[in-house]
Amino acid sequence: MRRLLAICIGSLVSALALAAPIEIMVEDAAAPMSNPDGSGYANEIVLAAFAAMDTPVKLTVVPYARCKKYVLSGAVAACLSMSDAPELAGKVRLSGLPLFYAYPRFYYHTSRPVAARTLAELPAGLRVGIVNGYEYPPEILRLTERGIHLLQARSEETNLKKLAVGHIDLVVSMMDDFKTDDALISKAGVQQVVFAFETTPQGSYIGFSSLHPQGEQARQLFNRGYAAIVLNGTRAAIERKWKNTRPLS
């Protein structure tokens, strides 16, 4: 009897915990996945998945470094978009499937060309712009072991502007199936930026805090909701919508 009562109380507490909207932090500078106004392909996918489970959520738009910090500390239930990284172990669990795949693409300025066309060809001393808090493939992070400097900025647009004025030598931008080189460069307001090469893609997920009381339940709800919108065609409709949208241009 006591055990049954405990289970009932636990279920009631869980239900009440999810009755209030789940706060999910989303990036403010990752168009078209997560736009400054809270719209975006990834954001819309997350909203649709939770709606399929009749679960209210609240999106809070912040810089990615804050999004990551808050989900790691358990201050919020979830953050997007995140990729697997050692610092997440034991603190953040990623969704079962990625929201999209990101492709690390390197760019240089024509006034200071870089001859390398692979990571292995990059010479020591180069200054490479990355975004504060972003997760990058291990082979990119290991560039520091060869004397290459990874310099952080708030956004990819900021990095492209730094590239244009010579403060860095290369920019690595995490691209996707919706974002074009021309649109990214145009939004940054720079010219004479040229694609150099691309490295291994990585999945981008919604990450759920293992320390937040709603984190694990939210993860399970999202996984079930995501499967539902894949089956009923909602994800495909959202994909078509955003592939026909050019928010960066």
Side-chain angles (χ1 to χ4, degrees):
M1 183 66 180
R2 290 182 178 177
R3 184 178 179 184
L4 179 60
L5 181 60
I7 292 173
C8 291
I9 292 174
S11 299
L12 178 60
V13 170
S14 297
L16 290 174
L18 290 177
I22 301 170
E23 184 178 14
I24 298 173
M25 285 190 167
V26 298
E27 189 180 350
D28 65 349
M33 295 300 171
S34 297
N35 294 311
D37 64 358
S39 66
Y41 170 78
N43 296 5
E44 196 165 330
I45 288 290
V46 169
L47 290 173
F50 280 109
M53 302 304 297
D54 296 319
T55 302
V57 295
K58 170 190 175 186
L59 301 186
T60 302
V61 182
V62 296
Y64 182 72
R66 189 184 309 169
C67 181
K68 184 174 182 177
K69 176 182 177 181
Y70 276 44
V71 77
L72 282 169
S73 68
V76 294
C79 165
L80 67 129
S81 300
M82 307 186 78
S83 296
D84 195 18
E87 64 265 30
L88 306 187
K91 297 180 180 179
V92 174
R93 294 190 68 185
L94 301 177
S95 52
L97 295 173
L99 301 172
F100 59 94
Y101 283 90
Y103 306 87
R105 289 171 65 84
F106 286 75
Y107 304 86
Y108 64 85
H109 196 271
T110 55
S111 64
R112 293 170 303 281
V114 175
R117 291 299 176 266
T118 66
L119 289 177
E121 296 173 357
L122 294 177
L126 278 185
R127 301 163 299 171
V128 179
I130 63 174
V131 175
N132 181 29
Y134 272 20
E135 299 87 33
Y136 292 92
E139 59 268 25
I140 292 179
L141 299 179
R142 285 196 296 267
L143 291 174
T144 58
E145 299 172 4
R146 294 167 36 204
I148 294 169
H149 309 290
L150 300 180
L151 305 179
Q152 296 183 351
R154 186 181 181 281
S155 69
E156 293 176 339
E157 291 175 43
T158 301
N159 275 329
L160 287 169
K161 291 175 181 177
K162 290 171 66 178
L163 179 70
V165 297
H167 291 170
I168 52 179
D169 305 302
L170 277 173
V171 167
V172 55
S173 291
M174 302 303 290
M175 306 297 284
D176 53 63
D177 292 333
F178 301 81
K179 186 165 60 173
T180 67
D181 293 351
D182 289 344
L184 175 67
I185 293 167
S186 174
K187 188 177 181 186
V190 297
Q191 298 178 343
Q192 298 177 288
V193 172
V194 178
F195 167 71
F197 62 90
E198 181 178 295
T199 62
T200 307
Q202 64 180 11
S204 288
Y205 304 77
I206 174 170
F208 296 90
S209 175
S210 300
L211 304 177
H212 192 279
Q214 292 177 310
E216 179 55 23
Q217 286 177 292
R219 188 184 72 85
Q220 294 181 26
L221 285 167
F222 173 80
N223 285 342
R224 289 161 55 196
Y226 192 49
I229 67 171
V230 169
L231 287 175
N232 67 21
T234 299
R235 187 190 68 169
I238 295 172
E239 184 174 334
R240 287 193 299 271
K241 168 188 170 181
W242 284 96
K243 280 192 173 179
N244 291 326
T245 301
R246 298 298 180 192
L248 290 179
S249 56

